[in-house]
Amino acid sequence: MSERTERTNEAWLAALRGETPDQPEALEDLRSRLQRGIFYYLSRERSDLAGLSNHDVTQMAQDMAQDALMRVIENLESFRGDSLFTTWAMRVAVRVAISDLRRARYRDFSLDALTAESEPAWLSLNPVAGDKLPLPERAAEQREVLTRLQESIHEALTDRQYQALVAVAVNNVPMEVVAERMGTNRNALYKLVHDARRKLRAHLESQGMSMDYMMRLFEDR
Amino acid sequence: MDEQLHKLIACIFDQHADNNPIDCETCSIHFHRLAELVAAGASVNELLPEVQQHLDCCLECNEEFQALLSIIVAENSGLVASE
């Protein structure tokens, strides 16, 4: 059945709320539609899942679509009618699917382990393989700037800000994964990282350090 | 340069993010409407520049919007198999 052309937004809502007799059919139509959309995304847009069999991807899409359907039903009242209902529902499904993938990928991730080192390797002067070794004067300047960067981090940031910044900005760990580990939500974490970044920048700029200067200094490191 | 150090410096001095007035939730509530309009040829930046700014500096929101957009475009093109 072509749900998109055969049901208006109002008809979807009435059916899913159980106000019309076709609630079971509407639930199945929506679940099926979400599954097809998720399957398309997983199979065509996710190169990281290319090694999975068609059966495995289908199973993933089924599970995600079922979860998404429940989420849609729970949040029906937040649909404002500013798009096709099915597009809004697909937005919910995409969030469910991508969240599941992120959580699975970072299942064993430890925020504490990531930020346990007081002087992480990336804040020390270890030449990357293939890099030219800097002249002694330049190496000394790099060491001094790294020391000031470390001091700024310790002086300007709280432990939570440091953890958030290192995980999200330095290691690209998804915010919802970090937020979960920190007992907060993605929005609050976004603000935490934003504030951390601004505080650190102000601290560094007050010492005369700019991005151009730092980037140039470490260019050939 | 160490990649992680590069990311940290770029992040600290990212002026672009400073001017971004919206957070992830505020950004994502526009996705369904925007996805339909963008699939029809519109530009996010012209419709809602603050959302484009957020997408430019938030990898996760961008990933979610692009995913939704890809599905809507595929549906419109008949590429999403019907059962």
Side-chain angles (χ1 to χ4, degrees):
Chain A
M1 156 174 200
S2 176
E3 309 90 0
R4 196 171 200 178
T5 53
E6 293 185 15
R7 277 196 186 89
T8 62
N9 285 353
E10 292 73 24
W12 273 111
L13 291 172
L16 293 172
R17 286 179 185 135
E19 296 166 1
T20 53
D22 60 336
Q23 186 185 41
E25 189 187 359
L27 285 168
E28 177 50 27
D29 286 346
L30 184 58
R31 190 206 60 74
S32 171
R33 187 185 187 94
L34 298 180
Q35 184 180 325
R36 293 197 303 271
I38 293 170
F39 179 82
Y40 174 84
Y41 173 66
L42 299 180
S43 59
R44 302 286 289 274
E45 304 286 335
R46 295 289 302 219
S47 56
D48 56 326
L49 302 179
L52 295 182
S53 69
N54 193 60
H55 175 268
D56 287 343
V57 176
T58 300
Q59 187 62 53
M60 279 175 82
Q62 277 177 358
D63 293 344
M64 290 168 172
Q66 190 61 45
D67 290 347
L69 180 65
M70 289 171 60
R71 193 77 60 86
V72 167
I73 299 304
E74 287 166 5
N75 290 284
L76 269 188
E77 301 315 313
S78 66
F79 175 58
R80 297 171 303 182
D82 52 354
S83 71
L84 290 175
F85 173 76
T86 48
T87 306
W88 176 81
M90 196 63 80
R91 187 197 102 197
V92 175
V94 163
R95 172 65 77 90
V96 167
I98 292 181
S99 291
D100 279 4
L101 293 171
R102 287 174 184 151
R103 287 201 188 92
R105 184 175 172 199
Y106 286 90
R107 190 178 293 120
D108 301 323
F109 163 72
S110 163
L111 187 60
D112 290 337
L114 190 68
T115 54
E117 297 167 306
S118 59
E119 290 186 14
W122 48 271
L123 269 180
S124 55
L125 203 56
N126 299 313
V128 174
D131 282 359
K132 287 184 290 185
L133 288 175
L135 297 170
E137 299 80 15
R138 191 176 177 86
E141 191 177 352
Q142 288 176 345
R143 252 183 236 108
E144 188 189 332
V145 167
L146 283 176
T147 301
R148 284 162 74 177
L149 180 56
Q150 282 194 41
E151 286 170 358
S152 294
I153 287 172
H154 290 303
E155 287 167 18
L157 305 185
T158 64
D159 287 347
R160 278 176 76 79
Q161 284 175 328
Y162 174 68
Q163 277 196 322
L165 191 72
V166 169
V168 174
V170 178
N171 288 283
N172 282 349
V173 182
M175 279 193 286
E176 63 189 283
V177 173
V178 179
E180 207 171 83
R181 299 293 195 281
M182 294 181 79
T184 184
N185 60 48
R186 185 161 139 188
N187 248 14
L189 181 65
Y190 183 84
K191 287 174 184 153
L192 190 69
V193 173
H194 189 68
D195 291 345
R197 198 179 54 73
R198 292 182 73 148
K199 280 171 72 177
L200 205 43
R201 191 180 79 200
H203 204 269
L204 289 168
E205 285 180 343
S206 73
Q207 299 175 57
M209 286 200 270
S210 68
M211 179 164 81
D212 284 350
Y213 165 68
M214 293 177 78
M215 288 292 193
R216 271 202 310 272
L217 181 63
F218 292 101
E219 223 161 34
D220 297 324
R221 191 180 141 203
Chain B
M1 183 191 297
D2 182 282
E3 189 188 344
Q4 288 175 307
L5 180 61
H6 182 280
K7 282 183 189 166
L8 179 67
I9 296 171
C11 166
I12 293 170
F13 291 98
D14 182 6
Q15 301 273 359
H16 188 254
D18 277 352
N19 301 322
N20 187 353
I22 62 172
D23 56 30
C24 300
E25 282 307 314
T26 310
C27 181
S28 68
I29 59 172
H30 297 290
F31 283 178
H32 48 290
R33 186 166 64 94
L34 282 174
E36 288 183 348
L37 295 169
V38 172
S43 146
V44 176
N45 197 39
E46 286 174 14
L47 294 168
L48 288 172
E50 67 273 25
V51 170
Q52 184 64 60
Q53 281 179 17
H54 185 88
L55 294 178
D56 287 343
C57 65
C58 180
L59 292 174
E60 287 162 66
C61 283
N62 193 47
E63 181 181 36
E64 289 164 23
F65 179 68
Q66 295 304 328
L68 178 61
L69 181 60
S70 73
I71 294 170
I72 300 306
V73 168
E75 283 186 336
N76 292 347
S77 310
L79 293 175
V80 176
S82 57
E83 290 173 341

